[in-house]
Every structure is written in C-alpha cells, then in structure tokens.
Amino acid sequence: MDLTSLLLLLFLSSLCCSCCFGAAPPNFVLVFADDLGFGDLGCYGHPTSLTPNLDRLAAGGLRFTDFYVTSPVCSPSRAALLTGRYQTRSGIYPGVLYPGSIGGLPLNETTIAEVLKPLGYATAAVGKWHLGIGVNGMFLPTKQGFDQYMGIPYSHDQGPCQNLTCFPPDVKCFGLCDVGAVTVPLMYNDVIKQQPVDFLDLEHKYSDFATNFITTSAEKNQPFFLYYPSHHTHYPQYAGPGAAGKSLRGPFGDALLEFDNTIGSILTALEKTGVINNTLVFFTSDNGPELMRMSRGGNAGPLKCGKGTTYEGGMREPAIAYWPGVIQPGVTHELASTLDILPTISTLAGAKLPQVMLDGIEMTEILVKHGKSKREMMMFYPTDPSEMYGLFALRFGKYKAHYYTQGASHSSTTPDIDCQVFTVLKAHDPPLLFDLEHDPSENYPLSLEGKPDLQALLERMKRVKQQFEASMVFGQSQISKGRDHNLEPCCNPECTPKPSCCRC
C-alpha cells in the first residue's frame, strides 16, 4: 500500500468509530430542490417560509454559505451534480432538455449511482430527472445506474397545465405552461403509470416511494443511495391537502412546505429503520429563483439577480449536510459546489472514481472537521456556454471577476436592470471585481486605481481562467441535436390525434 492510500485509510478510520465503515458502509440521501433561492428557507432568514424539517437539518448539521451550482438552469446543473463534471464536458448545453429531445446525458458519463453500484448499493431516484428520455427510454435513470425510478422525467411545466388542478379542491395551475406538448406523465422505471399526473397526490406518491425504498434496503442490510430531485418550488407551484393553505407565503410557501414534509418523512424512515446515524443527508438546489414569477418565483435573499444569470443569485445556493454523530452542527463559509458531491460520496463509500477528468474536489475535511476547503475557485458558465466566450465569471477565494454579464428572462421583473432580459451581453475589460465577503450583493465593483495588489490578483485570475479554458474539452451538445415529437412520452403511443390523446 502506497503512502497516499494509507493516509486515506487512516483518515476514513478517524471519521466516526460508531459508523464502522468496514462493517456498515454509509448510506446517502441526496435532496435537490428546484428553482429555490438562497433566501427562501427559514434557516436562511426568510421570515414567512415554513420549513421545520430543513430547519432541523440546518440546526443539527452543517449549513453552507458559499455553495455553488454550475449552471443557472435545470438540466446542466443536474448533469454536473450527478457526474462531478462541468456540463460543458458532458454536452448538456445550451439551455435545457425537452420532452422530445433526441439527446440526453451520454451513457458514457458516470453518475453517482454508477460509482456506488459495484459496492453493492441499492440505488433509486424519485422526482424530476430532466436529463433526457431518448429512443426507447435510453437516457432514463434506470439506464444511468439507478435500480428504480419514479417521477416526471422532465420539468412539470413542459406540458399544458391550464386545465390541471394544482391545489385542492380544484384550484387550476397558474399559467399555461408549455402548450402543444403531451401532458406531463408519471413514470415508474420506463413505464408511464399516469398521464396527466395528479399534482394533488404526486408528493404523497414520492414520499411513499422514498420511504419504502429506505425501509426495504435497511431490512436487507443493504447500503443505499436515494436521489430525490424535487419539482418544488418550480413554476407552476402545486401542493396536496397536507400543505395547501397552511403556510403564510401563499402558493410558493405551500409548495415549499410540501417539499419539506417529504423530507420529514424521509428522516422519519431513517430513524425508524435505525440507519440515520449511518446516513449522510445532503440538501441543495439546482439554480436560483425564477424572479420573473415575482412572489411565486422565490427569493435570492441578499444576492443579485436569479435564475438564468451568472450573478450570485443565479448560482449560489442554500446547502446543508446532515449526519448525526459524524457532522457536528455549525456553519461553514468554505467554498464548495455540487461538483464536489460525487468525489465526496466516493471517498466516504470507499468507491473508485471514474477514470475521466473530474471537476469536483472531495470535501470530507469540511464535513467532518469543519476544516478548510480544497476548492480555491469556482467557474461560472452562462446557460449557453461556448468556446468563443468561455467563462463569464470566476470566483477565486473571496473575490469574483465578471468578464461578461447579461440579463435573463428568468430574472426579469426585478427593479435591478442588470437582471432583466433586455440587458444584453456586455464584455468587461478589465473585469468587474467584487469582494464577496464585503459585498455579496455585487453592488460595488472594486476600483483598481492605485491598487497594485488587486491588479496582481486579476492577472493571476486571468492565468487561472486561461489554463482552465485551455483544458476544457466541450462535449457534443446533446440539446443541439434537436427534438422529435415522436419521442414525447405517450401512454397510448398509437392513439390519435396527438398530443391530446395521450391520457391514461
């Protein structure tokens, strides 16, 4: 055994004697909210959000203040989370996948589930997939390392919703959603069980699926990985009888409460089965709030702009790590990212890393010892990354440099003109430089005049940027492969006329 392997073994042995890694590999529950902003949770300061279970995780776990995703929209962010690689490598750009998209997460990409499967882990995904369906369901979770899947395979607004019920007794969904497509289906593995989905009962189904998976795995003494990418709190918000009308925050708050209730059910299942002390629960969100929906769109707190932008509000997210007896309660200001989750889980499980270029850096030192992050920088790509423009922004330590800025439709309606869709692409030379510890709202660019230290910092950041961009190999764009309406999921594939006949 070489010195590096020996040190790693000693480190894992020191994590927690009660966990007995050799006898009982740890379980993992990964919770991924949708369009949830930095300021949306009670534990992050929102005055009227009702999130008792997430607040419990924060109080008993480690709450991150400087945690980032890799994209300000859904599909690319999910690809990076599951692979530990920027979405530019896997080709999940520009924008997001659609019900009839020809492409999807390439099968030669290795997901967290595929990292854990060789070690005997049971794996399940429940909720929003949004990484493609493809011909014969070739990109669905069951083809990407997950034993089981229940959910809507894309965003629940990617189908007509104007006549669907989102709140009891019969409150119709807000807006039209995507007309001209099939109504959103509920799938189990690769089979459509319901179309259109019943939003009032959807979260109850998800909760039952998740808790049954945990219970069954625990009864078999089988380590497990549960991935729960929720539809909450994406537009259009919905909630069943257990949450509707029970928050002070209206439809958004009710949807958030229903999401929180499912997290509570998962925690209860972990407790009842006696595995909670051997389970890492990690929570975060895919991108910032969709501010164009105003009060129905979420809240970025003190951060600038939201979904669709490379400002902090678009890509800096709430994040909580919870593991009783292993992770001590507290708050960390260390830099971390969804990219780091795959290598961290791999380290904790003793699994082999994929033999590809990874952008993630394992963060066990942060989790277990409240120690320093190994991550020095974070790269910011727009929704439509290209080799021509490269990175829009780069964070290095506490400083962030914007090389390009641009507004987005997702963040329109805010008073800040920088966020709005009519604010076109603008290059900055020298880049706009912010001290995010002093100015997390990115309101006050630092002056470089008479500041040789800041000028030297920018030169160093420029070199880092150039080195990173030179090493980035863009994968073939999966989204640019286009769409085929015949690939849209239909429970009655031979019916006519489509898409209206796709009902069961």
Side-chain angles (χ1 to χ4, degrees):
M1 181 181 293
D2 61 28
L3 180 59
T4 301
S5 300
L6 178 60
L7 290 173
L8 178 59
L9 180 62
L10 290 172
F11 175 71
L12 286 174
S13 300
S14 70
L15 290 181
C16 176
C17 293
S18 64
C19 294
C20 302
F21 283 96
N27 309 302
F28 304 100
V29 176
L30 180 55
V31 181
F32 210 40
D34 197 359
D35 286 10
L36 191 73
F38 189 83
D40 274 320
L41 302 183
C43 54
Y44 276 80
H46 198 283
T48 57
S49 287
L50 188 58
T51 52
N53 293 295
L54 282 165
D55 293 351
R56 171 191 166 188
L57 293 183
L62 186 63
R63 183 169 65 85
F64 289 76
T65 63
D66 294 65
F67 192 89
Y68 290 89
V69 294
T70 66
S71 173
V73 290
C74 299
S75 296
S77 181
R78 292 158 197 274
L81 169 76
L82 288 179
T83 66
R85 288 155 53 84
Y86 282 102
Q87 62 274 8
T88 42
R89 300 191 193 280
S90 60
I92 305 300
Y93 68 89
V96 302
L97 292 157
Y98 287 85
S101 287
I102 295 170
L105 183 67
L107 299 182
N108 62 356
E109 291 289 332
T110 304
T111 67
I112 296 172
E114 290 170 316
V115 166
L116 294 173
K117 284 297 293 177
L119 299 182
Y121 274 75
T123 58
V126 56
K128 175 180 174 178
W129 176 239
H130 214 181
L131 287 172
I133 301 173
V135 178
N136 298 320
M138 64 181 293
F139 297 119
L140 287 169
T142 50
K143 304 297 195 295
Q144 308 269 13
F146 291 95
D147 300 325
Q148 304 175 54
Y149 170 62
M150 173 183 277
I152 299 171
Y154 40 81
S155 185
H156 70 284
D157 69 328
Q158 291 182 317
C161 67
Q162 66 267 35
N163 293 318
L164 301 182
T165 299
C166 274
F167 295 93
D170 191 21
V171 178
K172 298 305 180 184
C173 298
F174 180 75
L176 300 177
C177 304
D178 288 356
V179 297
V182 296
T183 54
V184 291
L186 176 64
M187 301 188 75
Y188 178 71
N189 293 336
D190 59 355
V191 177
I192 298 172
K193 292 295 186 181
Q194 187 181 58
Q195 193 173 19
V197 69
D198 178 1
F199 287 122
L200 300 191
D201 190 48
L202 181 60
E203 202 66 25
H204 181 259
K205 285 185 170 69
Y206 285 174
S207 180
D208 284 350
F209 178 91
T211 55
N212 288 338
F213 171 73
I214 291 169
T215 301
T216 300
S217 300
E219 287 174 350
K220 293 179 179 179
N221 291 318
Q222 185 176 12
F224 60 83
F225 169 50
L226 174 65
Y227 173 47
Y228 169 42
S230 178
H231 304 287
H232 292 314
T233 49
H234 195 291
Y235 154 91
Q237 285 82 34
Y238 65 87
K246 296 186 178 179
S247 80
L248 296 174
R249 206 178 158 188
F252 188 97
D254 293 352
L256 180 56
L257 175 59
E258 183 169 72
F259 172 52
D260 188 84
N261 287 343
T262 299
I263 293 172
S265 298
I266 289 172
L267 292 175
T268 298
L270 294 173
E271 290 169 335
K272 284 185 175 179
T273 54
V275 299
I276 194 163
N277 291 334
N278 193 35
T279 302
L280 169 63
V281 180
F282 200 100
F283 158 82
T284 189
S285 179
D286 66 343
N287 49 250
E290 192 173 33
L291 301 177
M292 66 177 286
R293 308 290 176 188
M294 296 180 282
S295 64
R296 287 177 176 259
N299 192 296
L303 306 182
K304 186 180 181 74
C305 301
K307 182 176 180 176
T309 75
T310 50
Y311 292 107
E312 290 293 282
M315 296 174 63
R316 187 167 172 175
E317 291 298 320
I320 304 166
Y322 179 82
W323 189 348
V326 177
I327 296 175
Q328 297 304 308
V331 176
T332 179
H333 304 292
E334 294 300 309
L335 189 60
S337 167
T338 47
L339 292 166
D340 305 333
I341 292 175
L342 182 147
T344 300
I345 286 177
S346 177
T347 296
L348 293 170
K352 292 182 179 179
L353 288 172
Q355 297 302 300
V356 294
M357 171 71 78
L358 287 177
D359 298 299
I361 303 170
E362 67 92 11
M363 53 181 174
T364 49
E365 188 76 13
I366 302 175
L367 299 183
V368 178
K369 298 183 179 180
H370 290 201
K372 289 292 183 181
S373 175
K374 298 175 184 177
R375 174 173 292 283
E376 291 185 314
M377 64 198 75
M378 190 68 205
M379 313 302 183
F380 295 75
Y381 279 113
T383 59
D384 55 345
S386 69
E387 293 176 277
M388 177 185 295
Y389 290 105
L391 297 175
F392 266 38
L394 185 154
R395 177 169 175 177
F396 190 88
K398 68 174 184 173
Y399 294 98
K400 182 178 178 183
H402 285 273
Y403 300 94
Y404 298 95
T405 54
Q406 188 175 20
S409 59
H410 291 299
S411 284
S412 288
T413 76
T414 62
D416 189 341
I417 194 172
D418 291 341
C419 310
Q420 297 173 10
V421 65
F422 299 110
T423 302
V424 297
L425 177 67
K426 184 177 182 180
H428 301 281
D429 186 14
L432 300 178
L433 184 66
F434 296 93
D435 180 335
L436 294 180
E437 288 184 357
H438 293 179
D439 178 26
S441 302
E442 298 172 289
N443 285 329
Y444 311 108
L446 298 173
S447 172
L448 303 180
E449 188 176 349
K451 302 283 183 60
D453 55 333
L454 294 182
Q455 293 173 13
L457 171 68
L458 277 180
E459 280 300 314
R460 186 178 179 189
M461 295 175 78
K462 180 180 178 180
R463 290 194 297 271
V464 168
K465 177 177 180 290
Q466 290 172 338
Q467 290 169 1
F468 176 82
E469 289 172 342
S471 71
M472 175 56 66
V473 178
F474 275 65
Q476 180 186 8
S477 170
Q478 296 294 310
I479 294 168
S480 295
K481 290 181 177 181
R483 305 183 220 174
D484 179 351
H485 287 295
N486 292 318
L487 295 178
E488 293 182 11
C490 181
C491 59
N492 188 8
E494 304 303 322
C495 74
T496 57
K498 290 180 180 175
S500 59
C501 67
C502 296
R503 292 177 175 272
C504 58

